[in-house]
Amino acid sequence: DGGITQSPKYLFRKEGQNVTLSCEQNLNHDAMYWYRQDPGQGLRLIYYSQIVNDFQKGDIAEGYSVSREKKESFPLTVTSAQKNPTAFYLCASSGIPGANVLTFGAGSRLTVL
Amino acid sequence: GDSVTQMEGPVTLSEEAFLTINCTYTATGYPSLFWYVQYPGEGLQLLLKATKADDKGSNKGFEATYRKETTSFHLEKGSVQVSDSAVYFCALRTSGGYQKVTFGTGTKLQVIP
């Protein structure tokens, strides 16, 4: 079945450590996105990529980095520069052009100890 | 900029009650409108959508009508079930260029037997 796989589902990190969240899709979608979800704040866009080898900052990119070397993969690194990294992270994709709908993965919950 | 405003939750209803979750938006141009649903511990799933004024989206007994004159997209269901308990997000996607999706803060619905 086509979909988006995020891993790990749960991740614990010590302060000062970088951590990478994986996002893989087999939908043949061109565009991929990373969102952060915090209680009471909805979803906020971190980074997005419309094609391979290209990505753009979203609304809250500081302290995060991404790469898009393959169409299927869009990993997110949460760096030590991110001041409040504990959150639920959601990866999504959409086919373009003219795509309307986002398909989401099941999410990764990061907790900084 | 674009924004989506949803009624604050949580909303608690008895089974078979009528549901309304209000959503209003601010956007330039002619956005597409969406309702996504998130079950506990999962990513978001598309519930329904409408792409132009007066369109009605419907799915699983839920409905929402795109009202351009009131910039609203309220979600309704005539008879809720315990299995409808989830967080509901209203969202819009602007037309043209990069298809950014803006989400509301989400409304938690709890249906009790």
Side-chain angles (χ1 to χ4, degrees), chain B residues 62-74:
Chain B
F62 290 90
E63 294 183 340
T65 301
Y66 189 144
R67 302 286 188 198
K68 190 169 185 294
E69 64 276 12
T70 55
T71 61
S72 66
F73 193 54
H74 305 320

Side-chain angles (χ1 to χ4, degrees), chain A residues 9 37 59 99-100 102 105, chain B residues 34 36 38 41 43 93 99-100:
Chain A
K9 190 168 179 66
Q37 185 178 17
D59 299 320
N100 278 306
L102 294 175
Chain B
F34 307 85
Y36 285 85
Q38 184 179 35
R93 180 186 67 82
Q99 297 163 351
K100 180 179 177 180

Side-chain angles (χ1 to χ4, degrees), chain A residues 42-53:
Chain A
L43 276 68
R44 293 181 290 169
L45 182 64
I46 304 173
Y47 268 97
Y48 64 96
S49 168
Q50 292 185 277
I51 56 172
V52 174
N53 292 322

